[in-house]
Amino acid sequence: MTFTIQIENGTEVRNAEADSQRTLYPYVTGTSVVAIKYKDGVLMASDMGGSYGSTLRYKNIERMKAIGKHSLLGASGEISDFQEILRYLDELTLNDNMWDDGNSLGPKEVHNYLTRVMYNRRNKFNPLWNTLVLGGVKNGEKYLGMVSMIGVSFEDNHVATGFGNHLARPILRDEWREDLGFEEGVKLLEKCMRVLLYRDRSAINKLQIAKMTEEGVTVSEPYSLKTFWEFKAFTNPTVGAEGSW
Amino acid sequence: MSQSAVDVPPKGGFSFDLCKRNDMLTQKGLKAPSFLKTGTTIVGLIFKDGVILGADTRATEGPIVADKNCEKIHYMAPNIYCCGAGTAADTEAVTDMVSSQLRLHRYQTSRDSRIITALTLLKKHLFSYQGHVSAALVLGGVDITGPHLHTIYPHGSTDTLPFATMGSGSLAAMSVFEAKYKEGLTRDEGIKLVAEAICSGIFNDLGSGSNVDICVITKGNNEYLRNYMEPNPRTYVSSKGYSFTKKTEVLLTKITPLLERVEITEVGEAMEE
């Protein structure tokens, strides 16, 4: 609800309180997440940076978290909204455990829950400013899906959020195969993350890769990629074009 | 209460009635529409013996494909070619203009044109129009000082790069280049990489499509490979052609000329001038 108050000089002022209850802009944001299905399950990669506008404020944010025994949630966008979503999912899993019937939420169910949450928040004009990637394996079935902040949701063999849409998707569309092994899958993800590192200004060279298989969900330790800057043309770009830049 | 939406002042001239409302809207957060990155993927890369330029062939008018097979690689000089993205009229006009300036310069100096000459002419022109000439160019060629590749932005800034992409499909093409570019590529490897980058733009960007054009420039030689690759052919063409069911029988064939053929022979005198 918004109110307008007439002040003496005639200008109208929105009720500040009403506006501060809605998300208008993101503040601390994470950049892209890339994920693929492979032979034994699902692999997901994301870096560990949290940008505050154009400053790289936080360099140790884990943007991928395990949900229950079977799924992994990766998020790009507003970090505080991601933490809120984790709280919602915590409540969900807790309620589930209280039933104590041996059943556990699989990735498909978590994805559906998240879709409903995101879409309903969007309908109230108060979105959770995230693009979420949900992956997991349950009963031998691999699952990989995505939900955006306006509630668009779908599942696919490979997904990418944020800048990854433009830079990683072409690579994945070209080189993804049904029967990728673990090493090949990691190499493919690293290829995408390297291009993102070169060309996305909010990416940092500290990433984690998560593996989801029937046995469970593991997130690797953070590590960095090798980059190559020694092109001859970079060392002296204006040779032969004096005065240019 | 006014009759029309905007009152025209009685003595003619401008009406500033909407300025206050526009100001109020911008204050409330309405952003004026920004520049559209127009539908194109253009790339260039430097290989062992020279420069390879590549472009897609789709020209769009908003959401419609206006030309399925246009030419985006423009001739500047026998040893210099330029790919253009942005408003088609602007890229055509600006490259034509600089191309003629270069030819006149060649006549005057009796030397082959250099890429930095074309670069400076283009840059000066675009800067003086403060970005209103919406031409984003990838300029490449080989001159006496070696192979060169430059990008020129609509506002007039330039970059000198070993590999470059421009247009709405530039990110898709750049991801291919960043993943696969190496120094010292051979001609065939270079052509393959450029074709791959343009295909990445064609299939992953909605503003680019149709065929791949390639231009290979080496010392003393250039090869314009128009429609080097056609990855979007018309697939559903019936091989049998059209055949209509035989419903009507032909009973009689007779040809009746409508006009009599008249032979004219030269008789009489020629016309007076």
Side-chain angles (χ1 to χ4, degrees):
Chain A
M1 273 201 301
T2 55
F3 309 88
T4 54
I5 312 165
Q6 286 281 30
I7 306 184
E8 273 84 65
N9 63 5
T11 52
E12 296 182 347
V13 170
R14 273 238 175 76
N15 186 334
E17 224 180 87
D19 259 1
S20 73
Q21 290 172 0
R22 305 189 294 126
T23 304
L24 294 170
Y25 334 93
Y27 285 97
V28 180
T29 53
T31 179
S32 0
V33 175
V34 190
I36 55 173
K37 277 193 195 163
Y38 76 111
K39 196 165 51 144
D40 308 322
V42 184
L43 283 170
M44 197 187 297
S46 80
D47 68 15
M48 300 189 73
S51 317
Y52 184 58
S54 53
T55 337
L56 241 182
R57 177 77 177 78
Y58 303 102
K59 296 201 199 173
N60 204 13
I61 300 195
E62 283 197 31
R63 295 192 290 115
M64 299 187 294
K65 290 281 185 187
I67 314 288
K69 291 189 291 232
H70 304 279
S71 352
L72 184 83
L73 174 67
S76 70
E78 174 63 56
I79 300 293
S80 62
D81 283 343
F82 175 52
Q83 292 170 342
E84 182 76 357
I85 291 172
L86 289 177
R87 212 172 54 77
Y88 286 161
L89 289 173
D90 255 349
E91 273 179 37
L92 239 200
T93 3
L94 198 71
N95 270 325
D96 207 42
N97 286 340
M98 287 201 296
W99 284 103
D100 202 18
D101 56 2
N103 224 345
S104 56
L105 285 173
K108 229 180 268 224
E109 290 86 56
V110 179
H111 188 215
N112 190 34
Y113 175 76
L114 289 172
T115 313
R116 294 290 103 231
V117 167
M118 301 297 268
Y119 185 65
N120 273 299
R121 289 288 297 252
R122 164 251 186 180
N123 283 341
K124 297 188 207 144
F125 279 92
N126 185 12
L128 289 161
W129 208 286
N130 292 112
T131 311
L132 305 168
V133 177
L134 207 299
V137 187
K138 186 173 177 197
N139 296 337
E141 258 186 69
K142 301 180 271 199
Y143 187 87
L144 178 59
M146 202 166 117
V147 195
S148 81
M149 76 186 227
I150 50 174
V152 176
S153 104
F154 56 91
E155 54 160 313
D156 204 349
N157 290 323
H158 47 80
V159 297
T161 70
F163 247 95
N165 267 312
H166 299 106
L167 291 169
R169 270 238 165 91
I171 302 181
L172 293 172
R173 279 187 180 161
D174 224 14
E175 300 188 13
W176 181 86
R177 286 182 344 262
E178 186 75 52
D179 57 352
L180 282 169
F182 177 67
E183 271 89 31
E184 293 176 300
V186 171
K187 257 180 67 186
L188 181 58
L189 280 181
E190 284 187 349
K191 197 178 206 182
C192 298
M193 295 304 282
R194 189 172 291 115
V195 176
L196 284 167
L197 178 62
Y198 283 139
R199 293 282 162 175
D200 179 6
R201 80 166 188 181
S202 35
I204 58 169
N205 198 359
K206 183 177 178 193
L207 64 142
Q208 291 178 302
I209 296 208
K211 178 167 85 147
M212 293 146 261
T213 55
E214 189 63 48
E215 283 93 51
V217 171
T218 49
V219 183
S220 76
E221 285 299 305
Y223 69 103
S224 62
L225 293 170
K226 272 223 241 329
T227 54
F228 181 72
W229 299 92
E230 267 75 51
F231 286 127
K232 277 206 298 294
F234 286 163
T235 52
N236 199 357
T238 58
V239 82
E242 302 306 326
S244 142
W245 68 88
Chain B
M1 177 110 149
S2 59
Q3 299 284 40
S4 62
V6 174
D7 283 321
V8 180
K11 289 213 179 113
F14 294 126
S15 164
F16 292 98
D17 289 335
L18 289 174
C19 285
K20 208 161 168 214
R21 162 241 190 211
N22 290 341
D23 262 338
M24 189 230 7
L25 283 174
T26 33
Q27 261 175 34
K28 290 225 169 128
L30 178 75
K31 281 188 286 221
S34 64
F35 278 113
L36 285 169
K37 251 201 299 200
T38 46
T40 296
T41 310
I42 49 174
V43 306
L45 69 70
I46 298 196
F47 72 111
K48 199 156 47 115
D49 310 318
V51 172
I52 306 180
L53 299 173
D56 75 307
T57 61
R58 174 182 282 185
T60 50
E61 216 178 288
I64 306 171
V65 176
D67 188 350
K68 289 186 282 190
N69 208 0
C70 70
E71 287 186 19
K72 299 190 188 178
I73 306 187
H74 308 286
Y75 168 89
M76 298 281 259
N79 58 333
I80 310 176
Y81 275 79
C82 184
C83 307
T87 309
D90 285 339
T91 57
E92 280 285 342
V94 120
T95 46
D96 270 354
M97 181 192 82
V98 172
S99 173
S100 21
Q101 284 177 345
L102 285 177
R103 185 180 286 209
L104 290 170
H105 192 248
R106 273 204 298 284
Y107 289 150
Q108 196 169 31
T109 58
S110 311
R111 284 179 174 77
D112 281 341
S113 303
R114 300 194 183 193
I115 287 83
I116 46 173
T117 321
L119 182 72
T120 314
L121 289 167
L122 286 164
K123 177 197 298 211
K124 274 179 64 172
H125 181 82
L126 291 175
F127 180 72
S128 65
Y129 281 90
Q130 288 291 296
H132 290 288
V133 174
S134 174
L137 310 165
V138 171
L139 174 72
V142 181
D143 60 23
I144 193 78
T145 55
H148 295 281
L149 179 67
H150 301 278
T151 54
I152 308 165
Y153 289 82
H155 285 266
S157 66
T158 59
D159 285 317
T160 316
L161 297 163
F163 55 91
T165 65
M166 296 283 259
S168 61
S170 62
L171 285 104
M174 186 51 90
S175 72
V176 171
F177 273 169
E178 284 286 12
K180 299 189 180 165
Y181 180 77
K182 295 190 316 281
E183 292 195 298
L185 291 165
T186 64
R187 184 202 136 93
D188 289 326
E189 289 173 336
I191 292 183
K192 186 159 162 289
L193 186 59
V194 165
E196 227 184 292
I198 300 286
C199 282
S200 176
I202 287 176
F203 292 118
N204 292 304
D205 172 48
L206 297 175
S208 316
S210 299
N211 315 122
V212 180
D213 279 352
I214 295 208
C215 184
V216 186
I217 310 172
T218 51
K219 191 163 139 79
N221 181 31
N222 67 49
E223 258 183 84
Y224 185 46
L225 304 166
R226 168 82 171 144
N227 286 358
Y228 169 76
M229 219 162 110
E230 294 183 349
N232 292 303
R234 294 185 90 147
T235 39
Y236 303 110
V237 184
S238 161
S239 53
K240 290 182 289 185
Y242 289 111
S243 63
F244 298 101
T245 50
K246 261 212 229 170
K247 279 262 174 77
T248 42
E249 262 180 58
V250 177
L251 294 171
L252 169 67
T253 310
K254 180 172 165 210
I255 300 173
T256 324
L258 292 171
L259 286 172
E260 234 183 279
R261 288 200 80 202
V262 178
E263 287 284 334
I264 301 176
T265 47
E266 285 287 335
V267 169
E269 287 155 14
M271 233 166 45
E272 288 252 331
E273 289 281 327

